[in-house]
Amino acid sequence: MTARCLIAGNWKMNGTLAEALSFADGLTALSNDGSSGVEVALMPPYTLLHSLRSVLADKGVQLGAQNVYTECNGAYTGSISTAMLKDAGCKYVILGHSERRNTIGEGNALIRRKLDAVWAEGLVPILCIGELLEERESNHTNDVLKAQLSILTAADADKPLVVAYEPVWAIGTGKTATPEQVVETHAFVHEVLVDLGADRQVLYGGSVNGSNAQQLLHSAGVDGALVGGASLQAASFMQIIEAAK
Ligand code: PGA
């Protein structure tokens, strides 16, 4: 059963083994029975997946990865496959994060191939979408989000998928979208998803922290959060989890 709300921590390129173990130590164990309606997941760098698997499971936290390659195995130096992520205990895989779209140049066609690879292994993709500041300012937000979601088809409707709306100008900047922008944009994203065959959980991401989580997470159409900076410390991550309950 999918929880009402998913709080996912994206560590990006941060975290040593010592930091990760101390983080896990600082987490209060979450009930696994779904009674709180909140599911928690952590996406550390690949190097920490195996080490965190059982400590996070003991705390009721799911494991995920920040990216994956399209192929199962073979001569792809430096890449990680969905089978490897499954073997490491992952449930979720983030795809299309803005840092991969905008810094590394990943486009829709590659992200679609990754989606298929993730589904083929039985994992759950968290597909990130979001507009740049100039796109919002020139009133192109909806067009951009629609184009990023256009990799989905009606044939995907029965496959598991979480969408994360992350305005690029809010990521790591300390700026969040206003409550009106969040409600309006999430309503649009849900509408596009329904048109594409199935509504999905839609997370908000972009400078979510212990102080703004309550308002963001209880806004209409928000089904959780994808958290970067504030997921690096157990105390601030716990504040967000508490706000979701
Ligand atoms: P942030 O990152 O919370 O540090 O803004 C969010 C993300 O990139 O997923």
Side-chain angles (χ1 to χ4, degrees), residues 178-206:
T178 65
E180 295 72 30
Q181 287 170 330
V182 170
V183 171
E184 195 186 5
T185 313
H186 277 246
F188 176 75
V189 171
H190 280 292
E191 205 180 287
V192 174
L193 288 168
V194 169
D195 284 348
L196 288 167
D199 201 4
R200 309 289 188 166
Q201 259 183 315
V202 181
L203 315 184
Y204 171 80

Side-chain angles (χ1 to χ4, degrees), residues 8 10 12 94 97-99 128 164 166 170-175 205-209 226-231:
N10 171 14
K12 310 190 180 186
I94 296 175
H97 189 279
S98 74
E99 286 146 20
C128 298
E166 300 201 295
I171 294 179
T173 57
K175 279 187 208 157
S207 298
V208 177
N209 60 38
L226 184 54
V227 185
S231 71

